[in-house]
Amino acid sequence: MSYLVFLSDIIIPLTAFSIIVYGVLQGVSVYDAFLEGAKEGLLAVWQILPALIGLLTAVALLRAGGVTEALADLLSPVCQLLHFPSELLPLALVRLVSSSAAIGILTDIFSVFGPDSFLGRCASVMMCSTETVFYTMSVYFLSVGIKNSRHTLLCALCANLCGVAASCWLVAAVFGK
Amino acid sequence: MLNLLWAVFCIVGIACGILNGRAAELTQAVLDGGKEAVELAFTMAGILAMWSGILKIGERAGLMDALAKKLSPLLHLLFPDIPPSHPARRYIAANFAANFLGLGWAATPAGLNAIQAMQSLNREKDRASNAMCMFLVINMSSLQLITVNIIAYRSQYGSASPAEITALGIAATCVSTLSGILAVKLLERRW
């Protein structure tokens, strides 16, 4: 499965290369476009900074108070049954509710276990393959006045669960535990 | 929702810490949390700005319209209830294309247009149609192919190879999206 690692390394430079070449061929003033996009990117970081400060502090408090360990201990029998690392459980749950709060937990996992550990890699892949469910659903359905959402929530939760399971399995298969 | 979550995090954390006799650690957490966030934002700013710039070139070059055109056979398969010439198709394609490229801010407006267009085809106005359920589940199963911000976080925390998880992320995203589509197809007749 080492070609997956190779693919990961090549995919970003290759994407950048293709987009720039395509832009030049289409006659876009590429540097002007780049500057405008970069400005938007900086603005986006600036806008999420307050949320980042608030949530990273909240997660730091949870860890300092010993809550995350207590929760992981409490749920470890269930996780063991499913062969799921209990340290990742808070991330999997919070990810459904809030993307920025999940980032707080993710960076916490990175600083405790390291981004290149089994848990760090699992957490990274999990973040790539899941999405905030409750927020997205309420925004979209509220905007057109839908009250009966039918099977949407169940299917979305199922998709996220499969994403989480696939993340851990893939990381274990490619990088080992 | 987030207000409640944030309050619960802080209150439970502080209360537990005091009960566990960890007041000093709590103080340190308050001092470090903000510092860590600002350091993180600095690393992210560079990587995100760079990537947004590249993607802007793609957007200007009409990459999104081209992608949307390529997606049309797929849309036919996923949304058989929406007629081919209906504007909902175009909005859905734009939403998917923006999601693939990780342009969250471009995906949401297109998505809202799409669901409005789908509502015009919906017979029972307060009950989600099959097309809406499919569209939302796909949106909530993550479509993004390159998650630049995760790579940025990994590099900030000293990863030797921050981008090494990209292909795995794409593979896991495919699993979550396909299982979501499958679940919708199985349940939409019974619900």
Side-chain angles (χ1 to χ4, degrees), chain A residues 10 12 15-16 25 40 44 59 69 71 87-89 94 115 122 136 147 169:
Chain A
I10 196 84
I12 289 173
T15 310
L25 290 179
E40 280 175 16
V59 174
E69 295 146 42
L71 193 71
E87 295 88 344
L88 296 178
L89 198 68
V94 169
C122 274
T136 313
K147 293 198 183 72
W169 184 81

PDB file of all heavy atoms in Angstrom, chain A residues 10 12 15-16 25 40 44 59 69 71 87-89 94 115 122 136 147 169:
ATOM      1  N   ILE A  10       2.489  13.332  -3.905  1.00  0.00           N
ATOM      2  CA  ILE A  10       2.522  13.960  -5.226  1.00  0.00           C
ATOM      3  C   ILE A  10       1.270  14.804  -5.484  1.00  0.00           C
ATOM      4  O   ILE A  10       1.271  15.705  -6.311  1.00  0.00           O
ATOM      5  CB  ILE A  10       2.690  12.870  -6.325  1.00  0.00           C
ATOM      6  CG1 ILE A  10       3.110  13.490  -7.663  1.00  0.00           C
ATOM      7  CG2 ILE A  10       1.424  12.063  -6.512  1.00  0.00           C
ATOM      8  CD1 ILE A  10       4.576  13.701  -7.773  1.00  0.00           C
ATOM      9  N   ILE A  12      -0.546  17.154  -4.004  1.00  0.00           N
ATOM     10  CA  ILE A  12      -0.647  18.602  -3.821  1.00  0.00           C
ATOM     11  C   ILE A  12       0.183  19.384  -4.845  1.00  0.00           C
ATOM     12  O   ILE A  12      -0.340  20.267  -5.526  1.00  0.00           O
ATOM     13  CB  ILE A  12      -0.318  18.984  -2.369  1.00  0.00           C
ATOM     14  CG1 ILE A  12      -1.483  18.505  -1.493  1.00  0.00           C
ATOM     15  CG2 ILE A  12      -0.103  20.475  -2.209  1.00  0.00           C
ATOM     16  CD1 ILE A  12      -1.247  18.657  -0.037  1.00  0.00           C
ATOM     17  N   THR A  15      -1.590  19.061  -8.187  1.00  0.00           N
ATOM     18  CA  THR A  15      -2.797  19.881  -8.303  1.00  0.00           C
ATOM     19  C   THR A  15      -2.422  21.333  -8.573  1.00  0.00           C
ATOM     20  O   THR A  15      -2.980  21.976  -9.465  1.00  0.00           O
ATOM     21  CB  THR A  15      -3.638  19.798  -7.007  1.00  0.00           C
ATOM     22  OG1 THR A  15      -3.805  18.435  -6.670  1.00  0.00           O
ATOM     23  CG2 THR A  15      -4.984  20.446  -7.181  1.00  0.00           C
ATOM     24  N   ALA A  16      -1.463  21.847  -7.795  1.00  0.00           N
ATOM     25  CA  ALA A  16      -1.035  23.232  -7.983  1.00  0.00           C
ATOM     26  C   ALA A  16      -0.513  23.430  -9.404  1.00  0.00           C
ATOM     27  O   ALA A  16      -0.889  24.388 -10.093  1.00  0.00           O
ATOM     28  CB  ALA A  16       0.042  23.589  -6.959  1.00  0.00           C
ATOM     29  N   LEU A  25      -3.095  28.789 -19.653  1.00  0.00           N
ATOM     30  CA  LEU A  25      -3.654  28.452 -20.964  1.00  0.00           C
ATOM     31  C   LEU A  25      -4.971  29.174 -21.221  1.00  0.00           C
ATOM     32  O   LEU A  25      -5.289  29.524 -22.349  1.00  0.00           O
ATOM     33  CB  LEU A  25      -3.870  26.932 -21.073  1.00  0.00           C
ATOM     34  CG  LEU A  25      -2.589  26.092 -21.156  1.00  0.00           C
ATOM     35  CD1 LEU A  25      -2.918  24.616 -21.244  1.00  0.00           C
ATOM     36  CD2 LEU A  25      -1.745  26.525 -22.354  1.00  0.00           C
ATOM     37  N   GLU A  40      -8.273  36.343   0.579  1.00  0.00           N
ATOM     38  CA  GLU A  40      -9.461  35.688   1.145  1.00  0.00           C
ATOM     39  C   GLU A  40      -9.072  34.629   2.173  1.00  0.00           C
ATOM     40  O   GLU A  40      -9.716  34.485   3.205  1.00  0.00           O
ATOM     41  CB  GLU A  40     -10.284  35.023   0.034  1.00  0.00           C
ATOM     42  CG  GLU A  40     -11.164  35.983  -0.727  1.00  0.00           C
ATOM     43  CD  GLU A  40     -11.856  35.294  -1.901  1.00  0.00           C
ATOM     44  OE1 GLU A  40     -11.892  34.051  -1.935  1.00  0.00           O
ATOM     45  OE2 GLU A  40     -12.352  36.019  -2.779  1.00  0.00           O
ATOM     46  N   ALA A  44      -9.999  34.500   6.102  1.00  0.00           N
ATOM     47  CA  ALA A  44     -10.691  33.363   6.701  1.00  0.00           C
ATOM     48  C   ALA A  44     -10.018  32.954   8.011  1.00  0.00           C
ATOM     49  O   ALA A  44     -10.683  32.693   9.007  1.00  0.00           O
ATOM     50  CB  ALA A  44     -10.717  32.185   5.721  1.00  0.00           C
ATOM     51  N   VAL A  59     -10.962  23.154  25.452  1.00  0.00           N
ATOM     52  CA  VAL A  59     -10.459  21.778  25.391  1.00  0.00           C
ATOM     53  C   VAL A  59      -9.278  21.599  26.348  1.00  0.00           C
ATOM     54  O   VAL A  59      -9.151  20.564  27.005  1.00  0.00           O
ATOM     55  CB  VAL A  59     -10.068  21.409  23.942  1.00  0.00           C
ATOM     56  CG1 VAL A  59      -9.410  20.050  23.901  1.00  0.00           C
ATOM     57  CG2 VAL A  59     -11.302  21.397  23.060  1.00  0.00           C
ATOM     58  N   GLU A  69      -9.800  11.966  30.140  1.00  0.00           N
ATOM     59  CA  GLU A  69      -9.369  10.629  30.596  1.00  0.00           C
ATOM     60  C   GLU A  69     -10.536   9.881  31.213  1.00  0.00           C
ATOM     61  O   GLU A  69     -10.724   8.691  30.964  1.00  0.00           O
ATOM     62  CB  GLU A  69      -8.256  10.744  31.637  1.00  0.00           C
ATOM     63  CG  GLU A  69      -6.964  11.347  31.107  1.00  0.00           C
ATOM     64  CD  GLU A  69      -6.253  12.174  32.177  1.00  0.00           C
ATOM     65  OE1 GLU A  69      -6.212  11.715  33.336  1.00  0.00           O
ATOM     66  OE2 GLU A  69      -5.778  13.268  31.856  1.00  0.00           O
ATOM     67  N   LEU A  71     -13.716  10.241  30.644  1.00  0.00           N
ATOM     68  CA  LEU A  71     -14.671   9.841  29.613  1.00  0.00           C
ATOM     69  C   LEU A  71     -14.157   8.627  28.834  1.00  0.00           C
ATOM     70  O   LEU A  71     -14.894   7.672  28.567  1.00  0.00           O
ATOM     71  CB  LEU A  71     -14.902  11.017  28.650  1.00  0.00           C
ATOM     72  CG  LEU A  71     -16.082  10.883  27.706  1.00  0.00           C
ATOM     73  CD1 LEU A  71     -17.377  11.010  28.477  1.00  0.00           C
ATOM     74  CD2 LEU A  71     -16.015  11.937  26.613  1.00  0.00           C
ATOM     75  N   GLU A  87      -9.254   6.921  22.813  1.00  0.00           N
ATOM     76  CA  GLU A  87      -8.773   8.313  22.844  1.00  0.00           C
ATOM     77  C   GLU A  87      -9.398   9.137  21.723  1.00  0.00           C
ATOM     78  O   GLU A  87      -9.422  10.365  21.773  1.00  0.00           O
ATOM     79  CB  GLU A  87      -7.245   8.353  22.686  1.00  0.00           C
ATOM     80  CG  GLU A  87      -6.461   7.725  23.826  1.00  0.00           C
ATOM     81  CD  GLU A  87      -6.248   6.229  23.618  1.00  0.00           C
ATOM     82  OE1 GLU A  87      -6.955   5.630  22.774  1.00  0.00           O
ATOM     83  OE2 GLU A  87      -5.388   5.656  24.306  1.00  0.00           O
ATOM     84  N   LEU A  88      -9.885   8.462  20.663  1.00  0.00           N
ATOM     85  CA  LEU A  88     -10.435   9.189  19.514  1.00  0.00           C
ATOM     86  C   LEU A  88     -11.936   9.410  19.623  1.00  0.00           C
ATOM     87  O   LEU A  88     -12.535  10.102  18.812  1.00  0.00           O
ATOM     88  CB  LEU A  88     -10.144   8.419  18.215  1.00  0.00           C
ATOM     89  CG  LEU A  88      -8.675   8.261  17.849  1.00  0.00           C
ATOM     90  CD1 LEU A  88      -8.535   7.442  16.584  1.00  0.00           C
ATOM     91  CD2 LEU A  88      -8.026   9.618  17.657  1.00  0.00           C
ATOM     92  N   LEU A  89     -12.544   8.823  20.655  1.00  0.00           N
ATOM     93  CA  LEU A  89     -13.993   8.907  20.786  1.00  0.00           C
ATOM     94  C   LEU A  89     -14.511  10.350  20.925  1.00  0.00           C
ATOM     95  O   LEU A  89     -15.455  10.725  20.230  1.00  0.00           O
ATOM     96  CB  LEU A  89     -14.447   8.066  21.981  1.00  0.00           C
ATOM     97  CG  LEU A  89     -15.924   7.725  21.953  1.00  0.00           C
ATOM     98  CD1 LEU A  89     -16.221   6.765  20.818  1.00  0.00           C
ATOM     99  CD2 LEU A  89     -16.351   7.126  23.272  1.00  0.00           C
ATOM    100  N   VAL A  94     -17.658  14.922  18.823  1.00  0.00           N
ATOM    101  CA  VAL A  94     -17.752  16.382  18.686  1.00  0.00           C
ATOM    102  C   VAL A  94     -17.765  16.792  17.225  1.00  0.00           C
ATOM    103  O   VAL A  94     -18.407  17.767  16.841  1.00  0.00           O
ATOM    104  CB  VAL A  94     -16.600  17.061  19.462  1.00  0.00           C
ATOM    105  CG1 VAL A  94     -16.505  18.532  19.119  1.00  0.00           C
ATOM    106  CG2 VAL A  94     -16.814  16.887  20.951  1.00  0.00           C
ATOM    107  N   PRO A 115       1.523  14.132  15.740  1.00  0.00           N
ATOM    108  CA  PRO A 115       0.763  13.939  14.504  1.00  0.00           C
ATOM    109  C   PRO A 115       1.158  12.668  13.743  1.00  0.00           C
ATOM    110  O   PRO A 115       0.382  12.159  12.942  1.00  0.00           O
ATOM    111  CB  PRO A 115       1.090  15.189  13.683  1.00  0.00           C
ATOM    112  CG  PRO A 115       2.308  15.754  14.284  1.00  0.00           C
ATOM    113  CD  PRO A 115       2.332  15.351  15.717  1.00  0.00           C
ATOM    114  N   CYS A 122      -4.751   8.563  12.571  1.00  0.00           N
ATOM    115  CA  CYS A 122      -6.178   8.210  12.533  1.00  0.00           C
ATOM    116  C   CYS A 122      -7.039   9.459  12.642  1.00  0.00           C
ATOM    117  O   CYS A 122      -7.997   9.638  11.880  1.00  0.00           O
ATOM    118  CB  CYS A 122      -6.546   7.319  13.713  1.00  0.00           C
ATOM    119  SG  CYS A 122      -6.253   5.606  13.419  1.00  0.00           S
ATOM    120  N   THR A 136     -25.061  21.426   9.287  1.00  0.00           N
ATOM    121  CA  THR A 136     -25.378  21.429   7.855  1.00  0.00           C
ATOM    122  C   THR A 136     -26.858  21.145   7.630  1.00  0.00           C
ATOM    123  O   THR A 136     -27.536  21.838   6.860  1.00  0.00           O
ATOM    124  CB  THR A 136     -24.545  20.357   7.132  1.00  0.00           C
ATOM    125  OG1 THR A 136     -23.192  20.472   7.554  1.00  0.00           O
ATOM    126  CG2 THR A 136     -24.623  20.513   5.642  1.00  0.00           C
ATOM    127  N   LYS A 147     -39.809  20.279   7.499  1.00  0.00           N
ATOM    128  CA  LYS A 147     -39.930  19.856   8.891  1.00  0.00           C
ATOM    129  C   LYS A 147     -39.658  18.364   9.048  1.00  0.00           C
ATOM    130  O   LYS A 147     -39.095  17.919  10.044  1.00  0.00           O
ATOM    131  CB  LYS A 147     -41.326  20.190   9.419  1.00  0.00           C
ATOM    132  CG  LYS A 147     -41.536  21.701   9.503  1.00  0.00           C
ATOM    133  CD  LYS A 147     -42.695  22.066  10.396  1.00  0.00           C
ATOM    134  CE  LYS A 147     -42.909  23.562  10.403  1.00  0.00           C
ATOM    135  NZ  LYS A 147     -43.489  24.050   9.116  1.00  0.00           N
ATOM    136  N   TRP A 169      -9.031   1.755  10.014  1.00  0.00           N
ATOM    137  CA  TRP A 169      -8.597   0.541   9.336  1.00  0.00           C
ATOM    138  C   TRP A 169      -7.506   0.858   8.311  1.00  0.00           C
ATOM    139  O   TRP A 169      -6.484   0.168   8.235  1.00  0.00           O
ATOM    140  CB  TRP A 169      -9.803  -0.124   8.658  1.00  0.00           C
ATOM    141  CG  TRP A 169      -9.436  -1.422   8.042  1.00  0.00           C
ATOM    142  CD1 TRP A 169      -9.311  -2.618   8.680  1.00  0.00           C
ATOM    143  CD2 TRP A 169      -9.087  -1.645   6.671  1.00  0.00           C
ATOM    144  NE1 TRP A 169      -8.906  -3.574   7.786  1.00  0.00           N
ATOM    145  CE2 TRP A 169      -8.759  -3.010   6.543  1.00  0.00           C
ATOM    146  CE3 TRP A 169      -9.022  -0.820   5.546  1.00  0.00           C
ATOM    147  CZ2 TRP A 169      -8.381  -3.573   5.335  1.00  0.00           C
ATOM    148  CZ3 TRP A 169      -8.641  -1.378   4.342  1.00  0.00           C
ATOM    149  CH2 TRP A 169      -8.322  -2.736   4.242  1.00  0.00           C
TER     150      TRP A 169
END
